[in-house]
Amino acid sequence: MTNYTQNATCCLTGHRPNKLPWGVDEEDPRCLRLKAELRGILAGLYERGLRRFICGMALGADMYFAEAVLELRSLHPDVVLEAAVPCPEQAEKWNAANRERYERILSLCDVKTLISPRYTRSCMQERNRYMVEESSVVIGVYSGGSGGTLNTLRYALSLGRELVLAPVE
């Protein structure tokens, strides 16, 4: 694999289904619009020279992002999808369908980075910090409220990263 610089790298921070207005209904028109927006953002970033895309592998926005990167990679084989896995137990308590989706995406990733060898209270935050520190652009799927997405966006701003916000209606 090519060693990509920070300038060629992008990550996403975003909400899990419980904070998205449509929840788990990915056929909701608002979710479909967000997915289309992500595909458009990624195409634009590719045109700017970004090739490495880091996904935190959480449910919701992370899964949408990973699948959009995989679509982009089908058009441009030089695209690299990296999974930043906070801990081996990440998907352990998910339902079967979500675990299957997770495993499928993980199997298609070019790079798998394990942040912590076991679950800790801070492994999700450590994963988020890793993604931001490795990236020049951070995509945010954010609809308000406190939590990991807001904290990650604030961290990205503190490091001077470019933020691209994807609309959540």
Side-chain angles (χ1 to χ4, degrees), residues 59-158:
L59 292 172
D62 285 17
M63 295 285 119
Y64 310 159
F65 173 74
E67 290 167 342
V69 172
L70 290 169
E71 283 182 45
L72 184 67
R73 189 177 72 189
S74 73
L75 301 172
H76 305 285
D78 58 338
V79 165
V80 171
L81 177 58
E82 177 179 347
V85 179
C87 62
E89 303 89 352
Q90 182 175 20
E92 198 172 79
K93 295 180 181 176
W94 298 356
N95 68 36
N98 286 332
R99 280 194 318 272
E100 184 177 305
R101 186 180 194 181
Y102 173 89
E103 292 297 336
R104 180 184 56 79
I105 291 170
L106 192 59
S107 74
L108 295 170
C109 288
D110 302 289
V111 178
K112 298 165 188 77
T113 302
L114 182 61
I115 303 301
S116 175
R118 63 178 174 76
Y119 174 80
T120 65
R121 289 180 55 185
S122 64
C123 68
M124 304 296 177
Q125 182 181 3
E126 291 169 21
R127 181 242 358 242
N128 295 344
R129 293 176 70 88
Y130 166 79
M131 293 191 311
V132 170
E133 289 166 2
E134 289 288 312
S135 300
S136 61
V137 178
V138 177
I139 300 171
V141 175
Y142 178 70
S143 62
S146 62
T149 300
L150 178 60
N151 293 341
T152 304
L153 291 170
R154 285 180 173 156
Y155 184 60
L157 282 173
S158 77

Side-chain angles (χ1 to χ4, degrees), residues 18-54:
N18 65 324
K19 286 194 174 180
L20 294 168
W22 53 84
V24 298
D25 181 7
E26 292 186 38
E27 296 304 313
D28 183 290
R30 298 167 295 180
C31 183
L32 296 173
R33 280 192 293 275
L34 173 61
K35 288 179 178 185
E37 179 73 17
L38 287 173
R39 288 190 299 272
I41 290 168
L42 290 171
L45 292 173
Y46 181 86
E47 292 303 316
R48 287 178 40 195
L50 280 82
R51 297 295 184 267
R52 175 181 171 218
F53 299 88
I54 307 173

